[in-house]
Amino acid sequence: MSKTDTGTGRDRDELGAAGSRLSTAPQEEAVSLPGLGVIGWTRWFWRQLTSMRVALLLLLLLSLGAIPGSLIPQTGADATKVEDFRAAHRTLAPVYDKLGLFHVYSSVWFSAIYILLFVSLIGCIIPRTWQFVGQLRGRPPGAPRRLDRLPAYTTWTTTADPEQVRAAALGLLKKRRFRAHTAGDAVAAEKGYLRELGNLVFHIALIVLLIAFASGQLFKSDGTKLMVEGDGFSNALPMYDDFKSGSLFEPDDLVPFSFDLEDFKGTYELTGPNRGTPRTFQAKIRYSKGAYGRQTTTTVKVNEPLEIDGSKVYLVSHGYAPVITVRDGTGKVVYRDAVPLLPLDGNVTSQGVVKVMDGYRDAKGKKEQLGIKAFFLPTYGGAGMEIASAFPALLNPVLNLEPYHGDLGVDSGLPQSVYQLDKTHMKDFKDAKGAQLRVNLKPGESMKLPNGAGTVTFEKDVKEWAGFEIVQEPGGGWALGGALAAILGLAGSLFIQRRRVWVRAVRGDDGVTVVEMAGLGRSESAKVPEELGELAGHLYERAPGAPEPDDAHPAPPPDRHVVPAEGAEK
C-alpha cells in the first residue's frame, strides 16, 4: 500500500538532519543592520556583496552597460567614426565624453561593475565549495523518526529478517549509483551530487569568462595590412596600415613571424541567378616563424585563418592593383608601381589615386608633383555603362585616369590618405576642347599629357591585392572553454535532481518485519515518487510481503508509482 501526508512546521522539525537542504546555495536571511563600527559595516557589506541577489544584479548591470558599447562608436574600434559622431552631434558628444560612452569597456563605471561582479562570484563560490567538499566527505544523514511525514512514502510487511532487508536495500541502492550506508535500523542513501557540482562549475566558468574577457581586452592587438601580389610583411608595428591594441599591450608581445603574398585567386559564378557571386577567395602565401624560421607555403581562405603561435591571420578583403608607368617630358620613367584601388561595389568597381611625389619635371624642366585620380572597371560594359563594372572578374578591364599637376601637400607634415587627392594646390590638365583631361585606357595603352608634359601608361599586368587582419587575443581559448563549461554546468544544475532515500526495516510486535521506504527531493521533483516506487518494487521482489493473518496469500506489492500526498509541495 501507499501512504503520503503533508508536513507541518512541527513535522519538518522532526525530520532533523535528514530534511536539511540538499544544496550549498547561501540562505537568504533577513537583513539586520549591524551596530556602529567599521568591522560591523564591513561584514554587512561583504554579506550583501556575496549574496546571490547582488551577483545577479551586477550581472544584469554588466549586460546593460555593454549595450552602449555596441550602439555608440568606440575609440578603440574606430576613432574616425567617433570623430564623425562628435562633428554631427555637437551637444550630445560632450555628455558622452563625461560618461565615458566612447570607451565603455575601459571606463571607470564599467570597470567597477566588472570588478564587483568578479569579487562577488569569488566570495560566493569559496564557501559553497568548502561546504560541497564537506558533503562529499560525509555520509548521507540517517533516517528521520517519522518517515511517513516525507513527501514520498510506502510501506509493507515481510517475513524476511530486518538484517536481510537492509542488506538487500543497501545492495540495490549502490547498484543504482546511490551513496548508501547503514545507519541504525535503516539504510540512508543520496544521489544527484553532480547537480551542485554543475552549479559550482557554472559559477567558476563565469569567473574564467571574466578573466578571459579582461585579458583579451587588455593584451589584445588587432591590425590590418593591404598587400599586393609579391609584397612581404613582417609582424612589427611599422608594417601595419592600421593598428589598435589593449591598454597593457607592449610591442614586444607581437608574435615574431613574416609572410609573402605570392598569389591571390578569386572565382565567380559566370551564369545563372547567382552570376557574379564569389565562389572562392584564397591567398597563397609563404610564411616563416621567427627571424630565421623555415619558410612554409600555405593557402589562407575566408574563415580559414593561418594561426601562428596564438596569432591569427585572416583574409578579409580583395581588390585590383593595375600597374601604372609615368614618364616625364623627356621620356624618363619617374613612377612605375602597382596601385591598389579600393572597391566601391560588389562588382569591384574601384577607385584610388596615383601620387608622383619626386623626380617628375614638366616639358620646361620645372619640378612638379602629379596626382592622378584612377577609376577602374574590371569588366567594362560598353557605352552607357562607364560608371560601374558589369562583372567582378577581369573580363574587359578599363582604367579611367584624370591627371592633375602642382603641389600634393605631402610636404606640409599633415597626414593624408593615400586613396584621396587634395586638389587645393593642384591644377588640372586640359584636353583639346579646354575641358578636364579624362581618358579611358585598356591594358597596354597610354595617355599623353598636354604640351609634352609626359605620358601615363596602363600596363598589361593587372595585379590583385588582398587585405589581411592580424589578430592576437590571448584569452580566446580560455573564453571558449569557460563558455562550454558554463553550458555544461548549467545543464547539470537544471536537469540533475538531488534526492535522498531511506529504507527502514524493524521487527514488529507480531514478529513480522515492517519495511518503510521514503524519499525526499531538493525541489520536490515528480521523479522522486516514481523512482521510489521503482526501488520499492525491486526490493519487494527480494523481500516479498507477509501473508495476512486470515489469508494464505502474501500482501500485494507496494505501488510502483508513489504519489505525493494531497497538499504536498510540487
Side-chain angles (χ1 to χ4, degrees), residues 171-180 190-193:
L172 174 63
L173 291 170
K174 287 185 175 181
K175 185 177 180 181
R176 295 300 182 93
R177 298 189 299 277
F178 279 84
R179 294 183 62 203
E190 190 168 356
K191 190 177 183 180
Y193 288 89

Side-chain angles (χ1 to χ4, degrees), residues 154-429:
T154 187
T155 183
W156 73 92
T157 57
T158 180
T159 56
D161 292 336
E163 293 79 7
Q164 295 177 345
V165 175
R166 289 194 288 268
L170 184 63
L172 174 63
L173 291 170
K174 287 185 175 181
K175 185 177 180 181
R176 295 300 182 93
R177 298 189 299 277
F178 279 84
R179 294 183 62 203
H181 70 104
T182 302
D185 59 359
V187 175
E190 190 168 356
K191 190 177 183 180
Y193 288 89
L194 290 180
R195 177 188 180 92
E196 190 59 32
L197 179 62
N199 205 342
L200 292 174
V201 168
F202 172 74
H203 287 84
I204 294 174
L206 288 182
I207 295 179
V208 173
L209 281 172
L210 290 175
I211 296 176
F213 178 77
S215 64
Q217 292 296 315
L218 294 175
F219 297 98
K220 73 173 183 179
S221 65
D222 188 349
T224 58
K225 178 63 177 179
L226 186 149
M227 298 177 63
V228 180
E229 291 173 325
D231 287 351
F233 170 83
S234 62
N235 195 24
L237 285 181
M239 297 295 294
Y240 283 94
D241 297 331
D242 180 48
F243 188 85
K244 52 183 178 289
S245 62
S247 57
L248 298 182
F249 171 83
E250 296 291 340
D252 293 339
D253 295 335
L254 288 174
V255 176
F257 68 89
S258 61
F259 66 91
D260 299 326
L261 175 61
E262 294 189 343
D263 180 61
F264 181 89
K265 182 180 180 181
T267 60
Y268 307 87
E269 293 288 347
L270 297 175
T271 59
N274 295 325
R275 184 176 184 272
T277 302
R279 295 181 60 184
T280 59
F281 273 171
Q282 57 187 37
K284 181 181 178 182
I285 66 174
R286 288 180 62 85
Y287 73 95
S288 61
K289 299 180 181 180
Y292 306 102
R294 181 175 60 89
Q295 287 193 332
T296 304
T297 301
T298 188
T299 300
V300 180
K301 301 179 181 179
V302 178
N303 297 326
E304 296 182 17
L306 169 65
E307 185 169 359
I308 305 175
D309 295 338
S311 183
K312 294 183 179 181
V313 181
Y314 292 90
L315 176 63
V316 295
S317 57
H318 153 259
Y320 294 103
V323 179
I324 298 176
T325 301
V326 180
R327 294 176 173 86
D328 63 9
T330 63
K332 177 185 175 182
V333 175
V334 296
Y335 181 90
R336 180 184 176 87
D337 201 359
V339 182
L341 305 179
L342 299 183
L344 300 176
D345 55 27
N347 286 331
V348 202
T349 304
S350 309
Q351 72 174 3
V353 176
V354 180
K355 296 184 179 182
V356 182
M357 295 177 286
D358 299 307
Y360 172 77
R361 294 176 181 270
D362 62 10
K364 298 179 181 180
K366 180 183 178 181
K367 290 184 178 181
E368 279 192 313
Q369 294 176 333
L370 295 181
I372 307 171
K373 296 181 66 175
F375 192 76
F376 182 69
L377 282 70
T379 301
Y380 179 65
M385 298 186 65
E386 294 91 347
I387 61 173
S389 175
F391 195 76
L394 291 172
L395 301 182
N396 183 25
V398 167
L399 180 64
N400 179 274
L401 298 178
E402 183 180 317
Y404 295 84
H405 64 99
D407 183 7
L408 292 171
V410 294
D411 299 326
S412 64
L414 299 177
Q416 59 176 246
S417 172
V418 296
Y419 303 105
Q420 295 179 350
L421 179 63
D422 182 5
K423 297 186 292 185
T424 305
H425 305 287
M426 302 292 289
K427 297 179 181 180
D428 53 3
F429 284 99

Side-chain angles (χ1 to χ4, degrees), residues 116-134:
L116 286 175
L117 177 60
F118 187 78
V119 174
S120 178
L121 288 174
I122 293 179
C124 182
I125 288 174
I126 291 178
R128 294 185 66 171
T129 302
W130 284 115
Q131 187 176 350
F132 181 63
V133 171

Side-chain angles (χ1 to χ4, degrees), residues 543-570:
E548 297 291 339
D550 56 350
D551 192 353
H553 301 286
D559 292 343
R560 289 287 181 123
H561 180 71
V562 181
V563 182
E566 182 180 358
E569 296 181 359
K570 297 183 180 180

Side-chain angles (χ1 to χ4, degrees), residues 11 14 47 55 60 68-69 83 86 91 99 127 194 200 206 230 250 428 442 446 454 460 479 491 503 505 511 522:
D11 297 330
E14 292 177 352
R47 289 171 183 170
L60 175 62
E83 294 302 323
R86 286 195 173 102
T91 304
L99 296 177
L194 290 180
L200 292 174
L206 288 182
E250 296 291 340
D428 53 3
K442 291 187 175 182
S446 299
K460 293 183 178 181
V503 180
R522 175 179 179 270

